[in-house]
């Protein structure tokens, strides 16, 4: 790591610490670049680079002509074996969750879905697209696939609540476990439009396989989270 890179990393981490310990409160204005230069004894280039990274990572936001401000706390997403539903997690953080179904239709299973659901290619599959909001700001975009023969009559109104609850109460399908794969991705034109972020913004991509008691896959989904608003916590019990 060169000297300039090390310096802006130090400045960035110091500002993050100040935000987390409450020195810089949510929606308050931060010092100017010139003021940060004096505080840390570094060049404007170093400060500007640190602030650009903080902006991309969602810790701060800029208002044209007014300055740089501290963003709201990121929404915590817990990845544990005994996790609360999305709405419960968000509500526990003092925020308001909501879900909007943007599409629900029956499609033909391709080779991947047919193999996953142990069906034939061309068999009907429910395709569900939803956006989840926190305080009316989009947090995640989800595409879920469910075999139609197990979930006939799936309706939009029910899917704006807990999908797992719908599976249990409407179709008598009990979820036993989920297996999730989390990785980094960048928002393309479609995702940037749905999550209201610039093209190329950092996102978390989460693929989820949902299993019934008999070991069969009842749902497969891919969810894109805004990188500037999501914060994942992984808990392991030993």
């Amino acid at each position: 790591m060169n000297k300039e890179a090390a310096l802006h990393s130090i400045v960035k981490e110091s500002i993050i610490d100040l935000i987390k310990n409450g020195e810089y409160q949510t929606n308050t204005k931060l010092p100017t670049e010139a003021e940060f230069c004096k505080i840390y004894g570094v060049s404007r280039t170093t400060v500007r680079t640190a602030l650009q990274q903080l902006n991309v990572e969602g810790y701060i936001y800029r208002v044209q002509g007014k300055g740089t401000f501290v963003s709201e706390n990121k929404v915590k997403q817990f990845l544990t074996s005994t996790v609360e539903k999305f709405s419960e997690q968000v509500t526990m953080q003092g925020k308001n969750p909501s879900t909007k179904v943007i599409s629900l239709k029956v499609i033909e299973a391709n080779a991947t879905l047919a193999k996953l659901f142990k069906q034939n290619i061309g068999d009907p599959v429910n395709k569900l697209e939803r956006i989840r909001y926190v305080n009316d700001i989009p947090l995640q975009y989800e595409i879920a696939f469910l075999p139609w023969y197990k979930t006939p009559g799936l309706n939009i109104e029910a899917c704006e609540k807990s999908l797992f609850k719908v599976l249990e109460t409407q179709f008598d399908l009990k979820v036993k476990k989920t297996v999730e794969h989390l990785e980094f991705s960048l928002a393309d034109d479609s995702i940037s439009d749905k999550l209201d972020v610039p093209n190329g913004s950092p996102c978390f991509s989460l693929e989820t396989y949902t299993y019934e008691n008999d070991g069969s896959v009842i749902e497969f989904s891919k969810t894109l989270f805004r990188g500037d608003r999501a914060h994942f916590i992984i808990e392991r019990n030993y």
Side-chain angles (χ1 to χ4, degrees):
M1 181 181 292
N2 61 43
K3 182 178 179 181
E4 191 69 25
L7 285 175
H8 75 64
S9 179
I10 291 171
V11 172
K12 170 189 158 185
E13 293 302 323
S14 174
I15 296 173
I16 289 175
D17 287 341
L18 292 171
I19 290 172
K20 288 184 175 180
N21 67 28
E23 185 73 19
Y24 296 141
Q25 295 285 330
T26 298
N27 294 321
T28 57
K29 185 177 179 180
L30 289 173
T32 64
E33 289 184 1
E35 290 170 335
F36 272 133
C37 289
K38 292 180 181 180
I39 292 171
Y40 292 105
V42 297
S43 69
R44 181 162 293 206
T45 299
T46 296
V47 169
R48 184 172 294 125
T49 301
L51 293 177
Q52 287 173 344
Q53 291 186 1
L54 289 169
N55 185 43
V56 169
E57 294 176 17
Y59 288 99
I60 64 175
Y61 64 95
R62 301 177 187 274
V63 178
Q64 187 67 32
K66 293 186 178 181
T68 303
F69 298 80
V70 179
S71 299
E72 292 187 11
N73 292 334
K74 294 188 176 185
V75 179
K76 298 180 178 66
Q77 300 280 290
F78 293 87
L79 301 180
T80 70
S81 58
T82 55
V83 64
E84 293 87 357
K85 295 189 293 291
F86 167 81
S87 58
E88 293 175 354
Q89 289 189 43
V90 173
T91 301
M92 288 169 59
Q93 297 170 53
K95 303 177 187 295
N96 180 39
S98 60
T99 301
K100 179 182 178 182
V101 174
I102 59 176
S103 176
L104 174 60
K105 58 186 177 182
V106 178
I107 64 170
E108 294 183 355
N110 59 21
T112 300
L113 293 175
K115 181 178 180 181
L116 192 63
F117 296 137
K118 301 188 185 309
Q119 293 181 280
N120 297 314
I121 295 175
D123 282 352
V125 172
N126 279 315
K127 179 182 178 182
L128 171 67
E129 294 182 72
R130 301 188 293 179
I131 297 178
R132 294 185 185 272
Y133 298 82
V134 175
N135 293 344
D136 296 323
I137 299 173
L139 173 69
Q140 62 187 74
Y141 165 67
E142 173 191 271
I143 303 177
F145 300 92
L146 305 98
W148 183 88
Y149 79 96
K150 288 189 175 183
T151 57
L154 193 63
N155 65 79
I156 289 177
E157 184 177 354
C159 292
E160 288 184 339
K161 300 175 183 177
S162 169
L163 182 58
F164 285 4
K165 186 174 182 180
V166 172
L167 294 178
E168 183 174 359
T169 58
Q170 185 174 341
F171 303 108
D172 196 29
L173 299 170
K174 181 66 176 177
V175 173
K176 181 179 182 181
K177 70 173 183 179
T178 60
V179 176
E180 299 172 310
H181 302 263
L182 181 66
E183 61 184 14
F184 178 80
S185 68
L186 298 175
D188 59 18
D189 288 336
S190 175
I191 300 303
S192 64
D193 180 61
K194 291 178 174 64
L195 293 182
D196 193 23
V197 294
N199 197 334
S201 296
C203 294
F204 294 106
S205 175
L206 183 70
E207 286 192 349
T208 302
Y209 298 81
T210 303
Y211 293 84
E212 292 183 76
N213 282 323
D214 63 4
S216 62
V217 178
I218 185 56
E219 182 229 22
F220 166 69
S221 66
K222 185 171 183 178
T223 307
L224 279 300
F225 295 79
R226 284 178 54 160
D228 64 339
R229 297 196 56 82
H231 173 72
F232 287 89
I233 297 175
I234 301 172
E235 176 183 317
R236 293 188 176 94
N237 297 307
Y238 297 92

